[in-house]
Amino acid sequence: MTMEWLWAALALVCVIEGLGPLLFPDRWRLYLLKISQQPSNQLRQVGGVFVVIGVVTLYYLSSH
């Protein structure tokens, strides 16, 4: 059962990540250009926030 949820989550990530370049390729390219110019520490902080949000959400969903 756990592996099914993992594969479903990975599939959902692929769908969500693919929507930007599929629907708005020019805006997506500009967004990536802006992101690539950000300092590494700022990118780490944003990544850390997303990881914490994801872990907390998974914990919440698994306990209900």
Side-chain angles (χ1 to χ4, degrees):
M1 182 82 157
T2 302
M3 287 303 289
E4 291 173 7
W5 282 102
L6 178 63
W7 288 115
L10 288 174
L12 189 55
V13 167
C14 289
V15 169
I16 292 169
E17 289 292 327
L19 285 176
L22 176 67
L23 299 176
F24 310 104
D26 293 331
R27 279 198 223 164
W28 186 75
R29 184 179 292 115
L30 290 174
Y31 173 72
L32 288 181
L33 183 61
K34 288 180 182 180
I35 290 288
S36 70
Q37 296 171 349
Q38 297 300 315
S40 295
N41 287 339
Q42 187 174 4
L43 293 175
R44 277 192 194 96
Q45 289 175 349
V46 171
V49 168
F50 278 112
V51 167
V52 169
I53 289 171
V55 168
V56 168
T57 303
L58 284 173
Y59 178 77
Y60 175 77
L61 291 175
S62 68
S63 65
H64 283 84

